[in-house]
Amino acid sequence: MKFLTALLVMTTLALCNFACVAQPSGVYSKAQSDISHFNNALAQPVKFGSFRVLVELREGKKSERFWLNHVRRDENKYIGVLETAPRLRSTFKLRQEIQLEPTEILDWNYESRVTRTIYGHYNACEEFKALPTDEATEQITYWRLACAPSD
């Protein structure tokens, strides 16, 4: 049974590129309040990499959430690459660089180059914590999520 549950969770996450977005109150505000850790990690590219941010892009009444990869800072703004094909949006294209304000970031994550631990990713951590405790621990360990920032 554990195997089937793990397989289902892994398949779901793979299909939506970790972009399945839970919306419990506080997840995004916690990511926003901890964004200084993301900025500190961005300033240490030898130690950390794989910088990503979750954003919601709007076009009129339509909106779609995406993880932007290869994130970097340009003064007070962030620039990331859209590597998921938009389904509803016509103004954004695959592999397009998108510039955004810090307040537009819903979630973020980065990876230790040494341990491969993923820091941040508040949304995925929240989803895993909704599982029974032993399954949550198993998934968090499998995906190497720290569920907390690190500098």
Side-chain angles (χ1 to χ4, degrees):
M1 188 64 169
K2 274 186 167 181
F3 173 77
L4 291 176
T5 302
L7 182 61
L8 177 63
V9 169
M10 291 183 327
T11 302
T12 302
L13 291 172
L15 289 174
C16 59
N17 189 25
F18 265 154
C20 299
V21 180
Q23 293 190 10
S25 63
V27 172
Y28 299 140
S29 61
K30 180 68 174 151
Q32 272 292 313
S33 69
D34 286 349
I35 201 161
S36 63
H37 296 283
F38 184 73
N39 294 337
N40 291 342
L42 276 169
Q44 301 177 66
V46 172
K47 189 174 177 182
F48 300 108
S50 301
F51 299 101
R52 299 179 352 141
V53 295
L54 178 66
V55 297
E56 184 169 39
L57 302 175
R58 298 179 191 275
E59 182 178 285
K61 292 184 179 184
K62 294 179 183 179
S63 67
E64 201 169 349
R65 291 183 179 171
F66 298 96
W67 281 101
L68 303 180
N69 298 317
H70 311 291
V71 174
R72 65 185 190 278
R73 283 190 80 177
D74 184 15
E75 297 183 24
N76 293 329
K77 297 190 182 214
Y78 296 84
I79 299 170
V81 178
L82 181 61
E83 292 187 345
T84 306
R87 290 179 276 166
L88 305 174
R89 310 276 315 202
S90 61
T91 57
F92 292 99
K93 305 294 180 210
L94 189 62
R95 294 182 188 75
Q96 178 180 347
E97 283 195 344
I98 298 173
Q99 187 177 58
L100 56 141
E101 299 289 332
T103 56
E104 295 177 279
I105 295 173
L106 300 174
D107 198 357
W108 49 263
N109 65 66
Y110 57 91
E111 182 179 64
S112 165
R113 292 190 187 277
V114 175
T115 66
R116 302 315 236 191
T117 301
I118 298 171
Y119 296 98
H121 221 320
Y122 294 89
N123 184 65
C125 291
E126 191 71 21
E127 288 181 359
F128 287 143
K129 288 175 183 176
L131 297 172
T133 305
D134 59 332
E135 292 177 39
T137 302
E138 181 181 333
Q139 291 301 314
I140 288 169
T141 301
Y142 177 83
W143 290 103
R144 295 182 183 217
L145 290 174
C147 294
S150 173
D151 295 327

